[in-house]
Amino acid sequence: MRRGVTAADLRRALCNGLPPQGVRTAVGFLAHRLKEKLPAAPESVNPPQPPPAPPALIACAGPGEEHLFRPPVPWATTCGPCHREEQRAFWADALDRGDAAPEPPPWRERFAAFAEGGGAPGVGAEGGAP
């Protein structure tokens, strides 16, 4: 396998043309088959590439004590916990300001409004998607 022989080639070398009278020793049989029946080694086998190096540690730009983290994407400047805290604060502020989208009505009210509008199935009362 290290020299690039596929599993199919190995199976063919070991299983094709088995002797009808059986074998005397399994070890001898395998040694003969692996030496004589396997295809020649490919001319150039590329060694597997090593995995890429992990990203360098950078200082988190978030609040609190200075700490280091490995960014999951190149543009990240805050670690996961600090990023989540920033997002919570942003959306809490947006809700307080009223910038967030209003909560949609429950499905029963939407269905009743749709039924009153006489729209076709799959199309909202305004003519768009529900």
Side-chain angles (χ1 to χ4, degrees), residues 16-86:
N16 282 355
L18 294 174
Q21 70 277 11
V23 295
R24 284 185 285 177
T25 66
V27 174
F29 174 75
L30 287 175
H32 172 73
R33 287 288 174 119
L34 291 175
K35 286 179 194 169
E36 302 298 324
K37 297 262 185 173
L38 271 181
E43 293 301 319
S44 65
V45 175
N46 295 334
Q49 296 295 324
L57 291 170
I58 63 171
C60 179
E65 232 177 86
E66 183 179 26
H67 54 281
L68 301 175
F69 76 104
R70 291 191 195 279
V73 290
W75 57 86
T77 58
T78 55
C79 64
C82 292
H83 179 72
R84 286 189 290 278
E85 190 55 41
E86 285 176 355

